[in-house]
Amino acid sequence: MNNLGNKKIMSKNILYYMDKHQKTRNEMCEALGVKYTTFTDWVKGNSYPRIDKIELMANYFGISKADLVEEHSQLETISIQKNSYENSLIDEASKLNQKGKVKLLNTVQEMTCSPLYNDNYLQAVAAHERTDIEVTDEMKRHDDDIMDDDGF
């Protein structure tokens, strides 16, 4: 991560996160309490925001200050997004009492076992019917019952 403090890098990162979160310049100005012309100078790379405004932007987008001020490769950007989501989850989880934390953990564990929420989840599917024997309707029903059993 080089070029710390580069106005063009800051500009690129601000535009990236604005696009990602579908925010307009007016919305950003209102959220940060800055004039439109000041924000436009940041976006165009003409000037660099003060550290307090960088921190406000980072908090607004749910990212670290480094995500705004440092240059990132495509792979680093993906990692940053992942870390931002994970950090948000940790921040929210820390607000829960012990009972809430147990419930959250159980919910997350259930979600990781579902192909709906886990891209890496492998689900067993039948490859084909047997060809070495005659498959009866009773055998098919039995197989269907097993496949429909959530506890299996």
Side-chain angles (χ1 to χ4, degrees):
M1 314 250 185
N2 52 8
N3 296 323
L4 183 65
N6 185 308
K7 293 183 277 191
K8 295 297 181 190
I9 292 170
M10 171 65 83
S11 166
K12 182 182 82 167
N13 290 338
I14 292 171
L15 289 170
Y16 170 81
Y17 286 106
M18 284 177 64
D19 182 59
K20 180 179 181 219
H21 294 276
Q22 299 177 337
K23 298 297 178 186
T24 65
R25 288 186 191 185
N26 284 326
E27 289 171 319
M28 294 298 299
C29 292
E30 187 176 322
L32 301 172
V34 298
K35 294 179 183 175
Y36 186 88
T37 53
T38 300
F39 189 77
T40 298
D41 281 341
W42 300 345
V43 169
K44 289 183 175 181
N46 295 333
S47 64
Y48 198 82
R50 294 186 330 241
I51 188 65
D52 62 318
K53 298 303 181 185
I54 294 171
E55 188 165 6
L56 274 174
M57 266 190 285
N59 291 337
Y60 183 75
F61 289 130
I63 58 176
S64 73
K65 293 183 292 264
D67 295 338
L68 286 171
V69 301
E70 296 176 359
E71 187 171 25
H72 308 285
S73 69
Q74 184 73 12
L75 185 59
E76 288 170 332
T77 302
I78 291 167
S79 176
I80 288 165
Q81 291 169 355
K82 178 182 175 190
N83 290 338
S84 294
Y85 287 126
E86 290 170 351
N87 289 339
S88 295
L89 283 169
I90 291 167
D91 288 344
E92 292 302 317
S94 69
K95 298 174 188 174
L96 298 173
N97 62 23
Q98 190 62 31
K99 186 176 180 180
K101 289 176 182 175
V102 169
K103 173 74 173 161
L104 176 62
L105 180 59
N106 289 335
T107 302
V108 169
Q109 288 171 337
E110 288 174 16
M111 291 175 73
T112 59
C113 294
S114 168
L116 183 62
Y117 303 108
N118 184 348
D119 292 334
N120 297 318
Y121 180 78
L122 298 176
Q123 185 174 15
V125 293
H128 56 79
E129 290 186 2
R130 292 184 64 174
T131 58
D132 60 331
I133 61 171
E134 185 171 333
V135 178
T136 65
D137 287 340
E138 182 180 340
M139 292 168 74
K140 288 180 183 179
R141 279 192 300 277
H142 175 73
D143 289 348
D144 288 340
D145 289 342
I146 290 172
M147 294 300 288
D148 291 337
D149 184 358
D150 290 334
F152 185 75

